[in-house]
Amino acid sequence: MALTKVDGVIEAVRYDAQGQLSLARLYKRMGPTFTDYVLLDRAQLVEMLQKNKRIYTGERLPRLSSSFRLGKQIFLTGPAGQEVLSTSRSQVPEHDQLSGVPLF
């Protein structure tokens, strides 16, 4: 199995009343390892994706520091200015939709 380049792993999210992501709990790659979780708002996450960072859903494996069980990759889809965060490239949902990611 080929190694996957991962720049961040989203563990949990929070949505606002309109269905847009308001906050994400994410582990960021820092060289050969990952940070403790950090909280990013939607604008910071969109900026990372616009810089071609590879963000996945997933969870950190207990007692294995920088090892994760990865889920789906997160994509920025839709026209400029109306981007939507999604785990699917083929369908553009009406609002942010990260399937399989728990809420916090």
Side-chain angles (χ1 to χ4, degrees):
M1 183 171 117
L3 293 176
T4 303
K5 182 182 181 285
V6 177
D7 296 305
V9 178
I10 292 182
E11 181 179 60
V13 294
R14 185 174 292 167
Y15 295 101
D16 63 14
Q18 290 77 35
Q20 282 199 333
L21 185 136
S22 61
L23 205 57
R25 191 165 66 197
L26 173 122
Y27 297 97
K28 289 173 67 173
R29 176 175 291 283
M30 299 294 280
T33 191
F34 284 82
T35 63
D36 289 336
Y37 74 79
V38 294
L39 298 176
L40 297 180
D41 63 18
R42 186 178 194 283
Q44 292 169 315
L45 188 58
V46 166
E47 183 180 336
M48 286 181 70
L49 290 167
Q50 288 173 338
K51 291 180 179 178
N52 295 322
K53 300 293 184 186
R54 292 189 181 135
I55 310 295
Y56 286 81
T57 64
E59 61 183 333
R60 184 174 246 164
L61 297 174
R63 298 182 305 277
L64 292 176
S65 67
S66 291
S67 297
F68 294 89
R69 183 175 298 117
L70 294 179
K72 298 178 180 181
Q73 186 172 358
I74 296 174
F75 301 103
L76 194 58
T77 58
Q82 301 173 7
E83 294 97 346
V84 175
L85 298 166
S86 175
T87 53
S88 171
R89 261 195 176 156
S90 59
Q91 301 176 13
V92 180
E94 294 178 13
H95 53 79
D96 295 340
Q97 185 176 1
L98 304 181
S99 60
V101 180
L103 302 175
F104 75 100

